[in-house]
Amino acid sequence: MQVQIEASWKDRLNPEFEKPYFQNLASFIKEEYKNHRIYPPAKQIFNAFEQCPFEATQVVILGQDPYHGEGQAHGLCFSVADGIKPPPSLVNIFKELKADLGKEMPKSGNLEAWVSQGVLLLNAILTVRANTPTSHQKKGWEEFTDAVIRTINEQKENVVFLLWGAYAQKKAHFVDPSKHLVLKSGHPSPLSAQHFFGNKHFSQTNQYLISKGKEPIIW
C-alpha cells in the first residue's frame, strides 16, 4: 500500500502499511471521508510526521484524537491553525507554560514553531468524525501509533516523552526509561487540569535536553 508520509518515517514504518490491520484501517478511513465530515483534512492526516522528520524528533507530546470542531484540527496534537480560537486544553497548556517558564499567552494556537524544533505532536488516533470525539477509536490507529512510539524508543536515544492523561500514559510501556525521559501528568482538559497544572514539564524537558548536549526548545 502506498501511504503518503515523510520519507524518513516511511522508511521505518513501511512494514506497518502492509499489515492486515492497516489495510483494514485504510479502507475504513477512505469510506469515512467519502460519507462523513472527518477531521483533519485528508492531506493533513500525517502532518505531524511531515513537519517533524524522524531524525529531528527529540520531544514527543502525545494526544488522544484530533479536535472535532470545524477548522480546528490540522494534524498536530493540541495545535490549531492560525485564526482559530485555542480550545480549552490548549489554553491550559499555555497557562502552565507561563507558570513554568514565564511565557506570555501567544496570539495564535498554532504550535508549528515547536514542531520545527523537533517536537512531534502526535495523536494516538489520527482522525475523527466531526463533533464526535473518539469516533475512530479502536479502528487501527492505536496499533499504528504504538509502532511509532516503539520505533522512536528503539532507534533513538535521549528523547523526551510528555504523556498527559491516562490515555497517553498507556504508551509508556513502549518506552525504555533508561534511554529516554518519560514525564507524566494529568491531561490539560478542564476536567483534569488540576492534575496538569504545576507539572513543570516544559522546564524539565529543557533541563534534560541541555544535560544531553542538545539545544533546549523555545516554547
Side-chain angles (χ1 to χ4, degrees):
M1 171 177 288
Q2 289 297 311
V3 175
Q4 297 300 313
I5 191 170
E6 193 274 334
S8 65
W9 288 106
K10 188 166 189 175
D11 288 345
R12 291 165 175 85
L13 297 173
N14 237 355
E16 295 302 309
F17 303 140
E18 303 305 323
K19 292 180 179 178
Y21 88 85
F22 197 92
Q23 306 272 342
N24 294 335
L25 170 63
S27 297
F28 167 76
I29 294 300
K30 187 175 181 180
E31 287 300 308
E32 284 287 287
Y33 274 94
K34 189 185 297 182
N35 297 309
H36 303 278
R37 182 175 295 180
I38 305 299
Y39 300 129
K43 289 183 178 180
Q44 293 183 324
I45 291 174
F46 296 109
N47 196 22
F49 303 94
E50 292 298 330
Q51 296 202 40
C52 189
F54 180 83
E55 292 84 358
T57 300
Q58 57 180 348
V59 179
V60 179
I61 299 179
L62 193 66
Q64 184 166 347
D65 64 346
Y67 294 127
H68 53 84
E70 177 70 34
Q72 292 179 315
H74 65 142
L76 308 175
C77 77
F78 295 112
S79 179
V80 291
D82 292 327
I84 302 294
K85 181 181 178 182
S89 292
L90 183 53
V91 171
N92 286 338
I93 289 170
F94 289 148
K95 286 179 179 178
E96 173 58 24
L97 188 53
K98 182 175 182 182
D100 187 8
L101 293 176
K103 302 281 272 191
E104 292 300 324
M105 187 84 68
K107 292 178 181 174
S108 172
N110 190 329
L111 302 180
E112 288 178 337
W114 296 4
V115 179
S116 68
Q117 300 173 76
V119 181
L120 181 68
L121 296 177
L122 180 67
N123 277 311
I125 304 164
L126 299 188
T127 53
V128 69
R129 232 185 243 189
N131 306 314
T132 316
T134 69
S135 50
H136 286 179
Q137 194 173 32
K138 298 180 180 176
K139 303 297 183 182
W141 279 131
E142 294 95 334
E143 192 168 345
F144 173 70
T145 52
D146 285 352
V148 173
I149 299 298
R150 283 198 306 269
T151 300
I152 296 170
N153 174 65
E154 292 166 4
Q155 298 186 28
K156 294 185 75 76
E157 292 184 353
N158 304 326
V159 174
V160 183
F161 292 83
L162 304 184
L163 305 181
W164 298 336
Y167 199 90
Q169 289 170 23
K170 290 177 182 177
K171 304 279 193 191
H173 67 272
F174 296 120
V175 181
D176 180 352
S178 70
K179 288 177 64 181
H180 307 283
L181 178 64
V182 178
L183 298 176
K184 303 177 185 178
S185 78
H187 193 277
S189 137
L191 296 174
S192 55
Q194 71 269 26
H195 302 296
F196 173 78
F197 291 135
N199 66 25
K200 297 190 181 298
H201 281 184
F202 301 105
S203 59
Q204 288 186 67
T205 294
N206 281 352
Q207 288 163 9
Y208 179 81
L209 293 174
I210 291 168
S211 78
K212 300 300 181 182
K214 298 183 176 186
E215 289 294 317
I217 304 298
I218 302 172
W219 298 106

